[in-house]
Amino acid sequence: MDSSETREEESGSKDSNETNRLLPIPSPPSSTQDDEEAAFDSREKILIVDADSASTLDVDGDQVPPFSWKKLWLFTGPGFLMSIAFLDPGNLEGDLQSGAVAGYSLLWLLMWATVMGLLIQLLSARVGVATGRHLAELCREEYPNWARFVLWFMAEVALIGADIQEVIGSAIAIQILSHGVLPLWAGVIITALDCFIFLFLENYGVRKLEAVFAVLIATMALSFAWMFGDTQPSGKELLVGILVPRLSSKTIRQAVGVVGCVIMPHNVFLHSALVQSRNIDPKKKGRVQEALNYYSIESSVALLVSFMINLFLTTVFAKGFYGTKQANSIGLVNAGQYLQEKYGGGYLPILYIWGIGLLAAGQSSTITGTYAGQFIMGGFLNLPMKKWLRALITRSCAIVPTMIVALIFNTSEASLDILNEWLNVLQSIQIPFALIPLLTLVSKEQVMGVFRIGPVLERLAWTVAALVMVINGYLLLDFFVSEVKGLLFGFLVFTGTAAYVAFIIYLITRGSDLSSNCFSLEMSKRYSNPGN
């Protein structure tokens, strides 16, 4: 009897050990895990439910559920928030300058640049869905402290540069719509209040916030489509511009600007966090793949809409100003006045249509900038902090320098144009520090498990990244050759460039030989199939 009980206990112990081996018992949460703040709380996430065959899907986590329009609607949102970075005032200025200087000839480049941007954003979404963590958090795990602090600093600088352009764009729109009564600095203060609007909307859930952004994007689309209808650009030239690649020495700078505006460093971090607003179990491969499929459709539609808006604006200025004396001097500040002089008033003056579209672009992009700032700071630094306080800090980092800019450059259009060039350069410098970590992590099996990208897609992604970085490198070289004067300034630029290149080389070489840390091992176990 005793020997039988002993054998049963040994058998039970073996079974228990085998079960523990196949299904590891979760370790008690560490203090680090307790303190770590997720992109979205569980109560904030949108639940994705299946109306049919829910029990079957729960049993087989590897099965991808069939396509559902209802579920596509539930997944719709993050891609449209991401697409706002393609429609911010900096991009709109690039559009109008491209149309005024190059006419319809760079529309093909606008289309393919949008496709390249879509590829990068899909990889960002892939990282967020497959790992359950966003890019800034992954960088904190994978890089040593000194490197992650440098990456965080670069991301914050890029965000501040983008935010200054966006806030100034909103302030210009407010100045237009107020008949010039409100100066630029007053528009900056009004725009700064979007931080509190954002915090207010966030309390009502993610879907309410996404609905507000949908209204702002629709406002842009209607405004610029109205302008397109009023000016009636040539349909034939538009079609030729999209289908026939053309590039001349006179339009190189505009071409570089079109491609350079596509990849916004903060937007790469943002999209990987936004996709976590849906409740997806990363342990179920079928659910992860389903989410990736829906996000791919949603992001593609969102960027198609953004491409159409950019297309409207480019062709309006191509029709009105290509080959004119104003072509080389047009910018955000004077674009509305030039449109008014060219096309006059009417029932609804085109000046105010332009102002409404610009205001929608500026307001939406500044709110997403506040959103991105929270994720970047929280992910890299992991500082336990209330959301309102973090939003206030990230908004202040942009508003203070923007207010200084508004006071200094309030009466000078030329100075604002020069400032805009410097801000474009500032953001171009930061692009490698978002792209290299993204492509490094998304191709690592230790991080992505079975959802790592294949060799063909990896080569394509690195090719696109290299192309974007080379194009922005050309922009930087051209800018510094024309602007850098004096021995001391030249020495400082040379020293900074050497350190900049050295850090890029470090990121690339480390990416080829990333060591597997505890997080990587956890992710590898999560996606391995113990039964096979």
Side-chain angles (χ1 to χ4, degrees):
M1 189 77 174
D2 292 341
S3 60
S4 173
E5 290 176 355
T6 302
R7 284 195 298 271
E8 288 177 2
E9 289 175 0
E10 289 175 352
S11 174
S13 178
K14 289 179 181 179
D15 291 341
S16 176
N17 290 336
E18 182 67 14
T19 301
N20 290 337
R21 186 181 69 82
L22 294 175
L23 298 171
I25 298 174
S27 58
S30 64
S31 58
T32 303
Q33 290 171 325
D34 288 338
D35 296 339
E36 192 168 293
E37 184 177 341
F40 294 90
D41 295 335
S42 57
R43 69 178 187 276
E44 296 176 324
K45 294 187 177 183
I46 297 170
L47 183 63
I48 307 297
V49 295
D50 293 287
D52 302 321
S53 63
S55 59
T56 305
L57 292 174
D58 286 339
V59 172
D60 188 3
D62 292 344
Q63 179 183 349
V64 180
F67 177 81
S68 164
W69 288 103
K70 180 180 178 181
K71 293 181 78 172
L72 176 60
W73 172 248
L74 291 175
F75 278 102
T76 298
F80 282 90
L81 268 69
M82 168 272 295
S83 72
I84 287 169
F86 291 70
L87 299 168
D88 71 352
N91 277 279
L92 299 186
E93 184 165 38
D95 291 337
L96 63 89
Q97 289 175 344
S98 170
V101 175
Y104 300 87
S105 64
L106 296 181
L107 293 180
W108 65 275
L109 189 59
L110 175 64
M111 180 182 69
W112 286 109
T114 305
V115 172
M116 289 193 296
L118 174 63
L119 173 62
I120 297 300
Q121 294 303 149
L122 288 179
L123 294 180
S124 175
R126 190 179 190 90
V127 165
V129 174
T131 65
R133 312 188 77 179
H134 58 81
L135 184 58
E137 291 176 316
L138 293 171
C139 288
R140 186 183 75 234
E141 296 286 346
E142 293 295 343
Y143 291 99
N145 286 339
W146 72 269
R148 73 179 172 92
F149 279 123
V150 173
L151 288 172
W152 167 71
F153 177 77
M154 293 297 187
E156 290 288 357
V157 168
L159 180 59
I160 291 170
D163 223 354
I164 290 174
Q165 286 182 315
E166 293 158 2
V167 173
I168 290 292
S170 285
I172 291 171
I174 291 171
Q175 195 173 43
I176 291 172
L177 295 174
S178 67
H179 295 273
V181 172
L182 293 175
L184 209 59
W185 62 265
V188 170
I189 293 176
I190 294 171
T191 305
L193 297 177
D194 69 17
C195 173
F196 301 101
I197 295 173
F198 160 75
L199 290 170
F200 175 76
L201 292 173
E202 196 178 25
N203 291 329
Y204 289 89
V206 176
R207 293 299 268 180
K208 302 292 189 303
L209 189 63
E210 290 171 351
V212 170
F213 283 108
V215 171
L216 292 172
I217 292 173
T219 301
M220 279 185 274
L222 289 173
S223 298
F224 299 138
W226 189 309
M227 290 169 58
F228 182 86
D230 270 358
T231 57
Q232 297 181 344
S234 169
K236 179 181 178 182
E237 290 188 58
L238 187 154
L239 193 59
V240 170
I242 291 176
L243 299 178
V244 180
R246 289 177 290 171
L247 191 63
S248 67
S249 58
K250 295 180 181 179
T251 60
I252 287 288
R253 191 176 184 86
Q254 282 67 40
V256 170
V258 167
V259 178
C261 289
V262 166
I263 308 297
M264 303 289 283
H266 72 273
N267 205 37
V268 177
F269 289 99
L270 175 64
H271 199 197
S272 65
L274 291 175
V275 294
Q276 293 174 44
S277 59
R278 272 58 179 172
N279 195 358
I280 303 161
D281 186 355
K283 296 180 182 179
K284 295 182 178 180
K285 299 176 188 177
R287 293 294 189 178
V288 173
Q289 187 59 58
E290 176 192 37
L292 292 176
N293 294 342
Y294 284 121
Y295 280 136
S296 297
I297 297 171
E298 184 241 3
S299 298
S300 300
V301 172
L303 288 193
L304 176 61
V305 172
S306 75
F307 169 70
M308 294 303 299
I309 294 173
N310 286 316
L311 182 72
F312 289 152
L313 196 59
T314 303
T315 52
V316 164
F317 283 86
K319 170 69 183 298
F321 303 101
Y322 177 56
T324 65
K325 293 179 180 179
Q326 301 101 324
N328 290 314
S329 61
I330 198 164
L332 281 182
V333 178
N334 54 23
Q337 192 60 43
Y338 283 168
L339 284 169
Q340 186 73 3
E341 292 172 1
K342 183 76 176 180
Y343 296 106
Y347 178 71
L348 185 58
I350 196 169
L351 171 65
Y352 299 118
I353 300 173
W354 160 250
I356 291 169
L358 181 59
L359 182 63
Q363 288 294 327
S364 59
S365 55
T366 51
I367 297 174
T368 54
T370 304
Y371 223 0
Q374 291 193 86
F375 294 131
I376 289 171
M377 180 180 287
F380 276 110
L381 303 184
N382 192 28
L383 296 176
M385 192 181 297
K386 295 291 185 181
K387 284 190 175 183
W388 68 266
L389 181 59
R390 183 171 294 158
L392 191 61
I393 292 173
T394 53
R395 172 51 67 235
S396 300
C397 288
I399 291 301
V400 171
T402 306
M403 182 63 70
I404 296 171
V405 166
L407 291 172
I408 294 175
F409 301 114
N410 187 33
T411 58
S412 175
E413 294 181 8
S415 298
L416 277 175
D417 289 338
I418 293 172
L419 172 70
N420 190 57
E421 288 184 10
W422 276 96
L423 291 174
N424 285 335
V425 168
L426 183 67
Q427 292 175 76
S428 297
I429 290 174
Q430 316 305 326
I431 286 176
F433 307 125
L435 288 187
I436 295 175
L438 172 66
L439 299 185
T440 296
L441 293 168
V442 80
S443 59
K444 291 294 177 184
E445 187 175 1
Q446 296 95 332
V447 174
M448 298 292 293
V450 298
F451 293 102
R452 61 156 291 187
I453 58 175
V456 175
L457 184 56
E458 183 179 359
R459 291 191 197 99
L460 177 61
W462 277 106
T463 301
V464 168
L467 180 62
V468 171
M469 286 188 284
V470 166
I471 288 174
N472 281 279
Y474 172 85
L475 177 65
L476 295 175
L477 181 63
D478 178 66
F479 181 79
F480 283 127
V481 165
S482 61
E483 295 292 333
V484 174
K485 297 173 184 178
L487 184 61
L488 179 61
F489 191 26
F491 175 75
L492 292 175
V493 169
F494 175 79
T495 305
T497 302
Y500 174 78
V501 172
F503 189 55
I504 290 176
I505 293 173
Y506 165 79
L507 292 176
I508 294 173
T509 54
R510 179 176 173 82
S512 63
D513 191 32
L514 261 178
S515 58
S516 300
N517 56 22
C518 295
F519 173 73
S520 299
L521 289 173
E522 179 185 338
M523 296 306 300
S524 181
K525 288 178 183 179
R526 178 183 292 181
Y527 290 117
S528 62
N529 190 348
N532 292 339

